[in-house]
Structure formats: structure tokens, C-alpha cells
Amino acid sequence: MDQILKALAEPRRREILQLVARDELAAGEIAAAFDVTRTAVSQHLSVLKGAGLLSERRDGTRRLYRARPDGLDALRRLLDDMWASSLEIARGLAEGEQEVRDAG
């Protein structure tokens, strides 16, 4: 989970993930979308791949990348749990306020 959060903390990595969310793209196509060196984009791709957020496929000399939706499953579960806990706390507060109003 920490690796996923660290990977997503960098804005360019989130942008890369959005680029490859629907289409498989070559590393060069991804790099062309950014005003940074290909080396920098390659490092970002490595971090995303290491976090399990990207899949890589070789086609001859090209490397093609695509987002792995299942790579975000652990993060989705964490956020769902946090959301459910927050809703439970809010419900408890609302019920407590109602009890105070009913008693008054």
C-alpha cells in the first residue's frame, strides 16, 4: 500500500496513469506528452510498474504500457473502509444530536 501511495503522490505519475488508463501506449508516446526527459519518464514508469499500477509488454524493441486497474484494488479497499468508518462516525454524531434535541 505504501508503494502505491508513494507512486501516486507525484503528479506526473498520476498523469501517466491517466494516459494509459484506456489505451496501451509506447514509452515514447508517453514521453512525448511531457516536457521532461525520456529518462525521467522512464523512471516514473518504473515506479508505477514497481507499485503494480502498470503492465509492460514488449513488441519488438518497443515497450508498451497499460494501467492495471487491479493495481488500485488495495487502495480502493482502504478508501472504502475509511469512508465507511467516517459515515459511521457521522451517523453516531447525528443520532447523538437528535437525542440531545429530544431530551431538551
Side-chain angles (χ1 to χ4, degrees):
M1 177 58 63
D2 287 343
Q3 199 173 9
I4 291 170
L5 291 172
K6 286 178 186 175
L8 294 174
E10 214 294 328
R12 278 198 187 97
R13 291 187 197 131
R14 292 191 304 269
E15 289 179 47
I16 289 170
L17 208 52
Q18 288 176 334
L19 279 176
V20 296
R22 290 183 190 90
D23 297 317
E24 185 177 59
L25 297 175
E29 293 172 301
I30 296 167
F34 297 94
D35 190 24
V36 295
T37 66
R38 285 182 179 248
T39 302
V41 170
S42 178
Q43 289 172 344
H44 288 310
L45 291 169
S46 292
V47 170
L48 290 166
K49 190 175 143 194
L53 298 172
L54 286 184
S55 64
E56 177 187 86
R57 179 176 70 85
R58 291 184 186 241
D59 181 26
T61 59
R62 297 179 355 141
R63 293 181 184 194
L64 301 166
Y65 295 90
R66 178 181 293 273
R68 291 185 60 233
D70 58 324
L72 290 173
D73 284 347
L75 178 59
R76 188 176 294 118
R77 283 191 303 275
L78 172 71
L79 294 174
D80 285 347
D81 289 346
M82 290 171 67
W83 179 250
S85 295
S86 295
L87 288 176
E88 189 64 29
I89 291 168
R91 184 175 61 83
L93 291 172
E95 288 173 356
E97 289 177 9
Q98 185 62 43
E99 288 174 8
V100 169
R101 278 183 282 214
D102 291 345

